[in-house]
Amino acid sequence: MHQGSCHCGAVRLTLPSTPETATDCNCSLCRRIGGPWVYFPFGTVDIQGHPEQTEGYVQGDRTLCTYRCRHCGVTTHWEPISPVAEAAGKHGVNLGNFDPALIASVRVRRLDGADTWKFLDD
Ligand SMILES: [Zn+2]
């Protein structure tokens, strides 16, 4: 069971399983937030303090909402908005909120989300 939290601890996340890969995306939002991102079926990530302690941000094609802690400002996760988009049915979690040993154990793949939506290591 992997548990993580934002910097101040107001938002706490528990992953349903151990991720093997994560995504480092270069799109206009992700390159600012950092990450890397790991993905799970929507509803399988336990998130305490959400939505009470979080604020959302919707951008671009409005397919997902990215959430941050309203106290420390750290981005914690995203949720799908559009049921037909790429993001539908998935939860994105910012792995930066977890144990450094877990982050180090995961293979990070670089995604060209800014342009081609292809992994650069394919
Ligand atoms: Zn916080």
Side-chain angles (χ1 to χ4, degrees):
M1 205 66 114
H2 299 290
Q3 293 182 315
S5 73
C6 65
H7 196 261
C8 76
V11 184
R12 296 177 308 282
L13 308 99
T14 303
L15 305 182
S17 60
T18 302
E20 294 183 354
T21 61
T23 299
D24 177 17
C25 177
N26 65 357
C27 82
S28 59
L29 184 60
C30 291
R31 75 171 186 253
R32 290 174 165 86
I33 294 172
W37 298 100
V38 289
Y39 310 114
F40 297 97
F42 184 70
T44 64
V45 180
D46 182 59
I47 307 174
Q48 302 291 321
H50 172 67
E52 304 90 336
Q53 310 295 337
T54 56
E55 294 173 325
Y57 178 62
V58 179
Q59 57 115 21
D61 57 6
R62 306 185 68 81
T63 57
L64 55 85
C65 185
T66 305
Y67 289 96
R68 64 185 176 275
C69 172
R70 67 170 71 237
H71 305 285
C72 68
V74 168
T75 297
T76 52
H77 68 289
W78 57 252
E79 294 179 0
I81 297 172
S82 165
V84 295
E86 174 90 8
K90 287 198 288 188
H91 245 144
V93 175
N94 183 351
L95 198 63
N97 293 298
F98 289 78
D99 189 328
L102 174 64
I103 300 170
S105 74
V106 172
R107 178 184 166 221
V108 177
R109 303 190 67 195
R110 294 177 59 216
L111 177 69
D112 184 22
D115 188 19
T116 64
W117 273 92
K118 290 184 166 32
F119 283 104
L120 296 170
D121 52 6
D122 271 347

